[in-house]
Structure formats: structure tokens, C-alpha cells
Amino acid sequence: MANHDLTSYDPVRIALPGASVADADVDARIREILEQIPEYERDDAHGLCMRDKAKASVTLRENGVEMHGLNHVDLTITVGDGFFPVAFAEGMLGMKAGDRRVFSFEVPALGSSGDDGCVSVMDADIEVREVRGLVQPILCDEWVAAHIPRMGTAARLRETVRGELEGERSRKLADLKRARCSAALGERLIGDPDPEVVDRVASRIREDFERQVIRGEAGGRCGQLARLSDEERERTITAEAARIASEGAAIGLMAEHFGVEASDDEIDRILETSRAGSGASWQAFGELGDRERMRTVAIFEKTLDMVVESAIVLQSSNEG
């Protein structure tokens, strides 16, 4: 770090979104809770929609051969719940009590994904006996008493939901504040980060990405990288590695400037609890022994704590 410096060692200035939870956020979470406990009303004249329930006599044949145990079998079906193929559920849409419908659809053949063109033709013969339509429950004291009695009243449930949302937002804001403080420090770095550090960080990012792909994790950062071409992905990984390395170098300079140290007791606590750090502080240090590596982690984390504590929040908004 001898060839590096920071443009300033003053407190960083960052912007953060507002911390308040809007009524609309509470309403959305309440709707999720209500949908998790669906309610149905019998309405035989109602045409079946997705998520409705039906009592029906079902016969299924695959490539002309009757499927074992599915010959005029009476079943209670939740339309579109995934137990039967989507095409089967779609074939039931609009049916009312007393209706009979015969239709065909295709599914991947046994042992095939369907991409190879190997399919089975299914013939369905369905007679609906009873229809129970999904109704949207209304939040009230009676509903709470029936389904979440420990809450007591609808007002208590709303209050609890708001508290949970506020806790979630507070934790997210704390993480965001830490990330933005680290990024602000990285932007103060004079000079490029050590190429060897950038290469090490890039290698870790690639390894993490490959592990997530193998595990089938398609969301979040992994999903974003997976949608890029090989060339775009490599550019993105290199840029991210350079950013992380810059932040690590900047935090290291702050630690030197303020003389931040880590005691042996602190190192012991880190080793005992396996809190091996994350982000810039974990990625930036070199190939050191475990104990010295933990010391570096502790110093970096303590330094970032100081930066976060002294940060000046310029504005609050309703973003995020």
C-alpha cells in the first residue's frame, strides 16, 4: 500500500433510502399471509379458475393405455397446484359442476425432458361433481381468531407485521450503509489496486459463480452473471474484483492512518466463532497464516465500523 493514498480521511458522505415502512408495504405483506391460508366456498355454477377446488371423476390414458389407478377415480383437485401437468389444469378451466370434458395434451415421455421431442399423448376424461371457488379472505378479528389466534385481533396482526417489516428494513439499511461506506472509501483511493489482489478476488468470484451454477442457484448475482455472454461476464467479474480490491486497499489505509489494531483476544473470538469476515475485508488480504489472516480481518472490520459510525448521511429517500 506504500504507493497508494486516499484523497481524504474525513468521514464519508453517503445517501440512504428512508427507513419508514409505508402502509402499502404492510398491506402487501398482509395479502401474502391471507393467500397462504386460502378459503373456499361451494359454488357449483362457478366456472373453474386456477387455484379453485373441484371434486371430479377422472380417467387418464397415456398413449392409449389406461393409467393404473386412474379409471373413473373420484379426486379432489386444486386446479393448477402442480400435482397434475399444467395442460391438465388448463383443460379443466371453465368447467362447472355436472360438466364432462374429454381432451388431450402432451407431456415429456418418461425419462425425457421433452427437449428431444419425445412426448406422450395423454387423454383425459373428466366429470366435475362439485366446485369450490377460491375466495379472497378479508382481514378481520374473526379471521385472525380462526387462523392466527395468538395474534388476537386484526389490529395486533397489523402491528406485528409492521414491526417485522421495520426490523427487516433496519437490517437491510445497516447492510446498505456498510456497503456504501466501503464503496465511498474505494472511490477515494489514489492509484489502481494491486493487480495480484484483483486476480485473487476475480478467481474467488468465478469459483463462487461456478459453485452456484452447479447447485442450480439461478437467482441474485449468479443469475445476473449467467445471463451474460462469456466476454461480458469476464469484464463484469474483473470490474467487480477491481472495485472490491480498491475498497480493501482503502480500508487498509484508513486502518493505518488511525492506528487500528486487533488484540489476541479478538483474534481468538473470531477463530472460535468462525466469523471470517466478508466483502472487501475478506477478499483483499493476501496469502497469510490463519491467525494473521484473522487479525487482518478484525482490523478491517473494526476500521469499517469506525467509518460507518462517523458517516454523514446526506439525504434520505424512498428508494429500495
Side-chain angles (χ1 to χ4, degrees):
M1 295 183 181
N3 297 327
H4 292 89
D5 199 358
L6 298 180
T7 56
S8 170
Y9 289 86
D10 293 333
V12 299
R13 296 171 179 266
I14 60 172
L16 290 175
S20 62
V21 172
D23 289 342
D25 297 327
V26 177
D27 292 339
R29 181 62 61 86
I30 291 290
R31 283 195 298 272
E32 292 176 3
I33 294 172
L34 292 173
E35 290 172 359
Q36 289 171 5
I37 311 175
E39 294 184 349
Y40 299 88
E41 289 182 355
R42 183 166 180 173
D43 184 356
D44 289 339
H46 169 70
L48 284 169
C49 299
M50 287 294 184
R51 298 186 65 201
D52 286 342
K53 284 185 178 293
K55 288 185 178 179
S57 172
V58 177
T59 297
L60 281 179
R61 293 180 176 84
E62 182 176 8
N63 298 325
V65 179
E66 186 178 289
M67 296 188 69
H68 179 69
L70 285 174
N71 180 20
H72 296 293
V73 174
D74 289 335
L75 299 174
T76 297
I77 300 168
T78 301
V79 182
D81 66 353
F83 185 80
F84 287 99
V86 173
F88 176 89
E90 291 174 342
M92 293 186 66
L93 295 179
M95 295 184 70
K96 302 173 184 177
D99 288 351
R100 181 180 179 186
R101 186 177 292 176
V102 178
F103 59 93
S104 299
F105 58 95
E106 293 183 345
V107 296
L110 184 64
S112 169
S113 65
D115 295 335
D116 54 7
C118 296
V119 297
S120 292
V121 176
M122 308 296 296
D123 297 308
D125 184 344
I126 302 173
E127 184 175 358
V128 174
R129 314 282 198 201
E130 178 184 305
V131 171
R132 299 184 68 83
L134 178 69
V135 296
Q136 179 62 50
I138 298 174
L139 181 65
C140 60
D141 290 348
E142 290 76 12
W143 186 92
V144 174
H147 298 290
I148 318 178
R150 63 186 178 82
M151 287 288 102
T153 64
R156 173 73 184 282
L157 177 60
R158 290 188 65 86
E159 179 185 346
T160 301
V161 167
R162 182 178 293 277
E164 290 175 351
L165 289 175
E166 288 173 346
E168 291 173 9
R169 176 153 296 200
S170 177
R171 290 188 291 273
K172 289 180 180 178
L173 281 178
D175 291 342
L176 181 61
K177 184 177 183 181
R178 200 169 183 81
R180 290 191 175 178
C181 284
S182 182
L185 281 182
E187 292 171 359
R188 292 182 178 185
L189 186 70
I190 299 173
D192 295 327
D194 186 339
E196 291 186 4
V197 175
V198 175
D199 287 343
R200 284 199 297 271
V201 176
S203 293
R204 292 189 180 100
I205 295 174
R206 291 189 201 97
E207 290 169 1
D208 288 343
F209 169 69
E210 290 167 1
R211 279 195 296 269
Q212 290 172 323
V213 169
I214 291 173
R215 291 196 296 261
E217 298 177 12
R221 185 59 173 154
C222 177
Q224 294 173 358
L225 290 174
R227 288 189 288 271
L228 301 176
S229 67
D230 291 345
E231 184 177 346
E232 291 172 330
R233 186 182 307 117
E234 189 56 34
R235 283 201 302 267
T236 300
I237 288 174
T238 300
E240 186 172 335
R243 174 187 60 77
I244 291 172
S246 294
E247 292 177 15
I251 293 172
L253 287 169
M254 289 289 286
E256 291 178 6
H257 180 77
F258 289 107
V260 179
E261 296 181 351
S263 68
D264 288 339
D265 287 343
E266 289 173 312
I267 307 307
D268 289 337
R269 283 197 296 272
I270 292 176
L271 289 171
E272 288 171 4
T273 58
S274 300
R275 293 178 57 200
S278 60
S281 61
W282 177 254
Q283 302 279 11
F285 46 75
E287 301 301 327
L288 305 174
D290 281 350
R291 191 170 188 83
E292 287 310 305
R293 185 173 61 180
M294 295 305 107
R295 191 180 303 278
T296 302
V297 171
I299 290 172
F300 276 36
E301 294 296 336
K302 288 176 68 175
T303 303
L304 188 53
D305 287 343
M306 292 171 52
V307 174
V308 171
E309 182 66 26
S310 63
I312 298 170
V313 179
L314 297 178
Q315 63 185 45
S316 293
S317 65
N318 290 324
E319 67 164 295

